[in-house]
Amino acid sequence: MYIKRAIEETVIQVSHMFPVMLVTGPRQVGKTTLLKQLAEENRKYVTLDDPDVRYLAKRDPALFMQRYTPPVLIDEIQYATELLPYIKMSVDDSGRKGDFWITGSQVFRLMQNVSESLAGRVGIINLLGLSDAEIYGYESEPFTTDSERLMQRLEITKERGLNEVYARIFRGSMPELYANESMDWETYYRSYVDTYLQRDIRDLAQVADEMDFYRFMTVVAAHTARPVVYEELANEVGMSAPTAKKWLSILVSSHIVALVQPYSNNILKRVVKMPLMHFLDTGLAAYLLKWGNPEALEKGAMSGAFFESYIFSEIYKSYLNAGKEPPIFYYRDKEQKEIDLILYQDGTLFPIEIKKTASPGKAAIKNFRVLNPVQEPERFGVVNELKTEIGQGSVICMARELLPIDEKNWYVPVWIL
């Protein structure tokens, strides 16, 4: 069963803009399924997973290009990056848009080759797992805190209670788990991790031991929704901090983890410089940490962290699916004052707090005031051109109603994201 993807319009737009389109993302998020669904009848399909085809592509890329003429969809391009210079020559000769659609999972290996060989000729799309909009069948749009937009969302979304939300968090975002309801959750994720370790990680020179990397993934999952401290990660696994930094970059490059940079400017001088880390698929994180069911996860010590990473992931995907760079930051200073997420758009900051409660109270927005100095740069000896406005804020929570907290901030039920 094909689940309609929110990114379809973006894919078509990018294909019309560039001669080569690369769709990248984690394994099994539906890259090939999506492109096959959108492909016109005359577009050939070839996968480099096939060892015979891969051998031809690596040994004689010119002959491969004669056999598979555009328009063509080439799956798993990272297995034969020798094709990239020949793709460049082909698109330079033809000048046509959308000739080559390519996919790749091993982003950490692929992107350097693509940027060198196809600079200016390739549009890159990042596809992640399913969003709530895709799972529940309503319109996807980039998340904003605008109260009028949120009011409109009430008309198309359906209320979900705590148990339903955690069932969604526990199940994760992989399309196969929703397209095939008989698929066993634990078996699926076990296979997923084995494939990732054996096919993506084994080849990397900087990863000598797959089981060490598995333990590292588990430690990272346990640190979701927390600032990155490489020494902590390293100590828990028994490795050096530089190795932990290198391995975390692999998880980021393969879209298992996202890092959120701290917001700062010349006025907010006491901001910490550590990025915030979120596991992008809460189902995978739950599997790695051996949570057995949604009820145990909801009542467990990591319940709040999973709730926060789930909401971050939904907001993050809402921008990627619209073909936009997610304008997401967070705030934390040396006095331990935090704002979970900040959207920074058009010279305006939109603060977001995340609370796993139905009644957060006004205390949930108390840290929003730490941003106030950015509205008056002249008071702090900073040029007025750096003035930044503060827009509407949100407390995303388990509230049943969309309600104002004050004239500028709203309680936002998680199910209307």
Side-chain angles (χ1 to χ4, degrees):
M1 180 186 77
Y2 177 73
I3 298 172
K4 183 174 174 59
R5 303 307 300 264
I7 207 167
E8 288 180 7
E9 187 175 326
T10 298
V11 169
I12 293 168
Q13 287 176 348
V14 170
S15 181
H16 289 159
M17 292 168 62
F18 293 91
V20 183
M21 177 176 65
L22 167 64
V23 177
T24 187
R27 287 196 168 274
Q28 300 177 29
V29 293
K31 299 183 291 294
T32 307
T33 304
L34 166 69
L35 294 183
K36 282 185 171 181
Q37 179 74 19
L38 298 179
E40 56 275 56
E41 286 186 8
N42 66 331
R43 185 174 294 273
K44 302 174 185 68
Y45 169 75
V46 57
T47 177
L48 297 176
D49 259 338
D50 184 320
D52 293 330
V53 173
R54 188 189 314 173
Y55 179 77
L56 173 64
K58 292 179 77 68
R59 179 174 171 270
D60 196 341
L63 186 61
F64 177 96
M65 296 293 287
Q66 290 181 39
R67 169 66 180 83
Y68 299 102
T69 55
V72 62
L73 163 56
I74 305 174
D75 210 5
E76 303 291 6
I77 189 70
Q78 74 273 4
Y79 290 136
T81 53
E82 293 86 350
L83 290 173
L84 295 176
Y86 292 84
I87 292 174
K88 174 181 178 292
M89 287 188 287
S90 175
V91 300
D92 285 351
D93 286 343
S94 75
R96 291 189 300 265
K97 308 297 185 187
D99 260 3
F100 291 88
W101 292 2
I102 57 179
T103 75
S105 299
Q106 294 182 5
V107 187
F108 36 81
R109 166 181 293 172
L110 183 60
M111 295 308 290
Q112 183 178 359
N113 290 315
V114 168
S115 60
E116 289 174 357
S117 302
L118 298 174
R121 300 166 181 85
V122 60
I124 299 172
I125 290 174
N126 295 315
L127 180 67
L128 298 181
L130 296 175
S131 65
D132 279 358
E134 292 165 326
I135 291 169
Y136 301 112
Y138 52 81
E139 182 184 355
S140 174
E141 60 186 13
F143 178 84
T144 69
T145 60
D146 179 67
S147 56
E148 290 187 14
R149 185 195 73 88
L150 293 169
M151 288 282 193
Q152 294 169 358
R153 300 290 287 174
L154 288 173
E155 304 299 319
I156 63 172
T157 56
K158 182 181 177 183
E159 181 180 347
R160 286 179 287 139
L162 185 67
N163 293 338
E164 289 176 279
V165 169
Y166 271 85
R168 160 76 178 89
I169 291 172
F170 179 80
R171 195 159 186 81
S173 302
M174 291 299 177
E176 184 65 21
L177 291 170
Y178 295 88
N180 180 4
E181 293 188 1
S182 64
M183 176 68 70
D184 179 72
W185 177 88
E186 185 174 357
T187 302
Y188 176 84
Y189 276 113
R190 184 189 306 117
S191 172
Y192 184 91
V193 170
D194 287 347
T195 303
Y196 177 66
L197 291 174
Q198 292 173 13
R199 299 190 62 181
D200 289 349
I201 300 305
R202 176 184 288 174
D203 300 339
L204 297 172
Q206 62 263 50
V207 178
D209 189 313
E210 292 168 30
M211 287 313 299
D212 282 347
F213 196 85
Y214 175 81
R215 286 193 292 273
F216 179 75
M217 284 178 67
T218 302
V219 168
V220 169
H223 284 248
T224 193
R226 288 167 56 180
V228 177
V229 181
Y230 293 109
E231 290 77 10
E232 280 185 13
L233 299 176
N235 289 339
E236 291 186 37
V237 183
M239 61 171 58
S240 68
T243 300
K245 187 172 185 177
K246 188 184 298 182
W247 286 12
L248 186 63
S249 73
I250 292 172
L251 291 176
V252 171
S253 296
S254 48
H255 301 294
I256 302 294
V257 166
L259 297 183
V260 186
Q261 297 303 318
Y263 174 78
S264 64
N265 62 23
N266 290 339
I267 300 171
L268 306 173
K269 297 183 184 297
R270 298 186 60 77
V271 176
V272 300
K273 293 184 169 60
M274 299 175 292
L276 187 70
M277 177 169 63
H278 283 289
F279 233 76
L280 284 169
D281 189 302
T282 50
L284 175 57
Y287 168 77
L288 290 168
L289 295 172
K290 301 295 186 282
W291 291 104
N293 55 67
E295 295 76 23
L297 177 60
E298 188 275 316
K299 294 173 183 173
M302 291 199 66
S303 176
F306 270 74
F307 188 71
E308 190 173 327
S309 287
Y310 158 65
I311 289 171
F312 165 79
S313 181
E314 286 300 303
I315 294 173
Y316 188 73
K317 285 184 281 195
S318 76
Y319 282 90
L320 291 183
N321 287 341
K324 299 178 182 295
E325 184 70 23
I328 305 175
F329 300 84
Y330 87 109
Y331 178 93
R332 187 180 192 186
D333 62 27
K334 293 174 182 176
E335 282 77 40
Q336 305 299 308
K337 292 178 179 175
E338 295 185 38
I339 299 174
D340 292 328
L341 298 175
I342 296 173
L343 301 181
Y344 181 40
Q345 294 178 294
D346 302 322
T348 304
L349 300 175
F350 302 91
I352 299 170
E353 192 67 18
I354 300 170
K355 297 290 184 185
K356 183 208 155 191
T357 175
S359 305
K362 280 197 171 184
I365 62 171
K366 69 177 188 290
N367 287 339
F368 289 3
R369 67 173 71 101
V370 300
L371 299 176
N372 287 345
V374 303
Q375 299 179 108
E376 304 174 285
E378 64 280 356
R379 286 184 54 198
F380 300 89
V382 178
V383 294
N384 200 50
E385 284 75 10
L386 293 178
K387 181 176 181 179
T388 304
E389 299 297 332
I390 299 175
Q392 286 191 334
S394 292
V395 178
I396 302 176
C397 57
M398 288 302 306
R400 299 188 64 179
E401 302 285 346
L402 175 67
L403 293 171
I405 303 171
D406 56 27
E407 67 279 359
K408 213 169 185 181
N409 302 288
W410 290 67
Y411 295 125
V412 178
V414 65
W415 44 270
I416 70 170
L417 292 184

